Amino acid sequence: MLIIVVIVIIILLSFILKFIEKNKKNSEISNIYEENYNKYYRPKRYVTTLNELNFYNVLLEIAKELNMILFAQVSLYNILSIKKELDYSTKTKYFNKIASKSIDFVLVDKEDCRIKLCIELDDSTHQKAKRIERDKFINKLFKDLEINLLRYPVYKVYYKETLKKKLNCQEKILDTHPHL
């Protein structure tokens, strides 16, 4: 008889614990909507710098002429993928290396959206120690994967013909990498 009472108590405790845990999860979900996010975030007023915008406008004209589409601020995980055969830990490690990084501009073929050229606009932030390390990583990564990367310095004014010549030089390189 004592065994039956103990079993019933254990079953009741199990149900009570499940009920408490379920209510705790529901409470956490409702807290999401009650949180005041003004304490943690502020809106950005601009998605790009003025230099990047000026460069973008000139590059956009060229992209249209070359029958390409121009994307800005493209996350590396949209350009690269982690190899499927890697174990979970390795995948996570190498995904985290690229997860919060982006490339300033990416030119893709208008017909199939295949990546043709990635472009970094190198402003004064690229002279900071952390940024130099990031740039070394990006350079090595793109070199190893044979993805064409153009580093272009910041200027006060961007001339379409000058930029177009630089892109045409890169275009010749692009043709040698059909898998891109």
Side-chain angles (χ1 to χ4, degrees):
M1 179 72 175
L2 183 63
I3 294 177
I4 293 175
V5 170
V6 169
I7 291 175
V8 169
I9 290 173
I10 290 173
I11 292 172
L12 283 172
L13 284 174
S14 171
F15 282 118
I16 290 170
L17 287 173
K18 284 182 183 179
F19 178 77
I20 291 170
E21 189 173 316
K22 183 179 178 184
N23 283 341
K24 182 180 174 188
K25 285 182 183 177
N26 288 340
S27 173
E28 288 171 1
I29 291 171
S30 67
N31 285 343
I32 292 171
Y33 302 109
E34 295 169 9
E35 186 79 41
N36 182 354
Y37 292 107
N38 287 333
K39 294 188 277 184
Y40 311 106
Y41 300 105
R42 66 177 180 78
K44 284 185 168 185
R45 300 295 176 212
Y46 308 99
V47 294
T48 186
T49 67
L50 189 55
N51 266 326
E52 289 170 332
L53 179 60
N54 292 335
F55 185 82
Y56 176 87
N57 286 328
V58 174
L59 191 55
L60 183 60
E61 286 181 40
I62 296 169
K64 288 177 183 176
E65 290 175 14
L66 297 174
N67 203 31
M68 292 187 191
I69 301 171
L70 175 62
F71 292 98
Q73 296 300 321
V74 179
S75 296
L76 282 185
Y77 61 79
N78 287 321
I79 298 170
L80 311 171
S81 60
I82 305 298
K83 291 188 173 185
K84 292 177 183 176
E85 65 270 12
L86 298 173
D87 64 87
Y88 178 79
S89 175
T90 304
K91 284 181 182 179
T92 303
K93 175 184 175 181
Y94 285 93
F95 177 80
N96 289 338
K97 285 180 170 264
I98 64 169
S100 63
K101 293 177 178 65
S102 64
I103 294 297
D104 292 331
F105 304 100
V106 177
L107 283 169
V108 302
D109 187 284
K110 195 172 190 174
E111 299 301 316
D112 60 10
C113 235
R114 191 162 72 172
I115 296 169
K116 300 298 265 177
L117 180 64
C118 297
I119 303 168
E120 277 286 284
L121 190 59
D122 288 344
D123 60 13
S124 61
T125 64
H126 289 260
Q127 296 169 7
K128 295 178 181 177
K130 276 190 169 186
R131 194 61 185 225
I132 290 169
E133 286 304 308
R134 179 228 179 249
D135 287 350
K136 285 179 183 176
F137 170 72
I138 297 293
N139 291 345
K140 172 101 170 73
L141 178 64
F142 277 52
K143 182 180 180 194
D144 287 355
L145 297 176
E146 298 180 337
I147 299 172
N148 284 299
L149 174 65
L150 171 63
R151 291 198 166 276
Y152 203 84
V154 166
Y155 295 107
K156 289 182 180 179
V157 177
Y158 298 99
Y159 296 101
K160 183 176 169 183
E161 290 309 312
T162 305
L163 181 53
K164 199 170 182 177
K165 283 179 187 173
K166 189 72 170 173
L167 292 176
N168 283 334
C169 290
Q170 289 294 124
E171 187 97 13
K172 290 173 188 164
I173 295 169
L174 286 173
D175 292 337
T176 64
H177 298 295
H179 65 281
L180 294 179

